[in-house]
Amino acid sequence: MDIRAWFNGLAPRERLLVGAAGALLVVAVLVIGVIRPLGSSRESLEAQIADKQAVLADIERVAARFGPRAAGVAQAQPGGGSLVVLVDRTTRARGLAPYLKRNEPDGEASIRLRFENVPFDELAGWLVELQATQGIGVVTVNADPGEGTGRVTANLQLSRAPAR
């Protein structure tokens, strides 16, 4: 039996009920099959965006703390000036001067330093800044735990890369 013939054989009131039921079925299929999945997909994407924004905020916070201009130190040209003066200026700018106990030049392009009970994160950030802005790298480091969590006593030798 053909569906069209069946539908035409119904009474007018029955055709109206079957048509309304068919329309409700189409709406239900659209809601369940299309609109709900799009809504849940949108919620999932919004959650992913919130997670990515939180990660980006953490990265920006760390970059501001350890970036080359984090302490407001003007970026100087690599290779210029005395290492003793540079170390003095940058440790003061970073708040590391109270921990610096020895500052001993070792030729024109090298210096030996001793920090006592210095916050490790601050020391590491300062060293990253020196490398990025001045081209000064760590030649040797000897660190022992300091008094308190996250503190070290460190002997360092820093050296300026030769000019090319």
Side-chain angles (χ1 to χ4, degrees), residues 17 22 28-29 49 51 54 65 67-68 70 80 89 94-95 124 126 153 159:
L17 286 174
V29 167
I49 289 171
D51 289 344
R65 184 173 178 193
R89 180 172 42 93
R94 284 283 232 176
W126 175 68
T153 294
S159 180

Side-chain angles (χ1 to χ4, degrees), residues 124-149:
W126 175 68
L127 292 171
V128 168
E129 178 183 307
L130 282 180
Q131 175 64 44
T133 63
Q134 304 294 331
I136 296 172
V138 177
V139 176
T140 60
V141 62
N142 180 4
D144 296 313
E147 297 173 17
T149 304

Side-chain angles (χ1 to χ4, degrees), residues 18-41:
V18 170
L24 285 175
L25 181 64
V26 168
V27 169
V29 167
L30 283 174
V31 167
I32 293 171
V34 177
I35 295 173
R36 272 193 179 168
L38 287 177
S40 65
S41 175

Side-chain angles (χ1 to χ4, degrees), residues 21-100:
L24 285 175
L25 181 64
V26 168
V27 169
V29 167
L30 283 174
V31 167
I32 293 171
V34 177
I35 295 173
R36 272 193 179 168
L38 287 177
S40 65
S41 175
R42 178 180 176 186
E43 290 171 0
S44 173
L45 290 174
E46 286 174 348
Q48 287 179 3
I49 289 171
D51 289 344
K52 303 285 187 212
Q53 286 174 334
V55 169
L56 179 61
D58 288 344
I59 290 171
E60 288 174 342
R61 181 181 49 79
V62 170
R65 184 173 178 193
F66 294 112
R69 298 175 193 235
V73 176
Q75 190 167 1
Q77 295 299 321
S82 162
L83 279 177
V84 173
V85 173
L86 179 66
V87 165
D88 182 62
R89 180 172 42 93
T90 57
T91 54
R92 287 179 194 277
R94 284 283 232 176
L96 295 173
Y99 307 105
L100 181 61

